[in-house]
Amino acid sequence: MENGTFPLYFNLTMYVNIGYYRYPAFVLCILLFAIIVSANLMIILVISQERTLHEPMYIFIACLSINSLYGSAGFFPRFLMDLLSDTHLISRPACFTQIYVIYSYASYELTILSIMAYDRYVAVCQPLHYHSKMTSKTVLKMAAFAWISPLYSVAVCLYLTIRLPLCGNKIVKVYCAIWNIAKLSCVTTAIYNIVGLLVTTITVFLPLAYVMYTYLRILLVCRKSSSEFKAKVFQTCLPHTISFVIYSITVYCDIALSRLNIEKLNPFAAIIVSLEFILIPPILNPLVYGLKLPEITRHIFRMLSWSKTKT
């Protein structure tokens, strides 16, 4: 194959020329990045320092916050640089590295949400067996599996994408994405599409189906329970439900956008939709869990008041 079929750079063409408005946009985005980092770090610090929060549910919440930091670090630095730049070229290695980070972040988010659903299912439907099933070793294995499995699945898709000979270098997005690169292929991508569909089913649709199944079982148990029990279940399950629904909607929007003719859409609307699953969960997860779970809220306020008295 000719060297020209493997371009050294990709051109991110979805960036809109907003002139001097790029500077307010840069300030707004860097503030958003700072809020994401500080809010998620606060959740991680509170859960790691408070022994009373060393329980499966809170450990998985900390995993979500770690993943938010990971995904944001893989997206924001490059995005902020592109906001101030007149050209939006990204090197081939940097592009595929960005794909790996963003896709593994997205897959891990779903995997950890499905594990959290299992945790809630055991706590509500099998309370007498909860401590025997959700031991510290089991939690550690689950967290490791949730992290390792997306790394391998994304690596398979990325390896196949890297091998594709391309007939162009224009990616209609503000960040690198596998589907957009596959559309540039000079050869048929039938096999790649089958593998991609299989991986998507395993990493996206199976976790989604499992979460819905566990919550159906929880609803069946709650239907026959007391009002006090229902209120307690509602308080502990609501944050996870909100996170799951928000993330499902944002992922669906991104998948739907990749199948549409973006040139016919409003460019600003297309950019916002494409960024939803990267921006919304990292900033909403700490707010949802910090405000809805009283244990975390209490310790956050205690930590903030202690830092104020110390200064």
Side-chain angles (χ1 to χ4, degrees), residues 157 160 179 189-201:
C157 293
L160 294 175
W179 177 250
T189 58
I191 296 176
Y192 298 87
N193 291 339
I194 292 171
V195 173
L197 183 62
L198 180 64
V199 171
T200 302
T201 302

Side-chain angles (χ1 to χ4, degrees), residues 1 14 37 56 75 82-84 94 125 128 160 163 170 199 203 208 231 238 254 260-261 301:
M1 294 180 185
M14 196 186 274
V37 171
F75 168 73
D82 279 328
L83 277 177
L84 297 180
C125 302
L128 298 178
L160 294 175
R163 295 182 60 197
K170 292 183 179 181
V199 171
T203 59
L208 290 178
L238 181 61
D254 185 68
L260 298 175
N261 187 357
F301 281 117

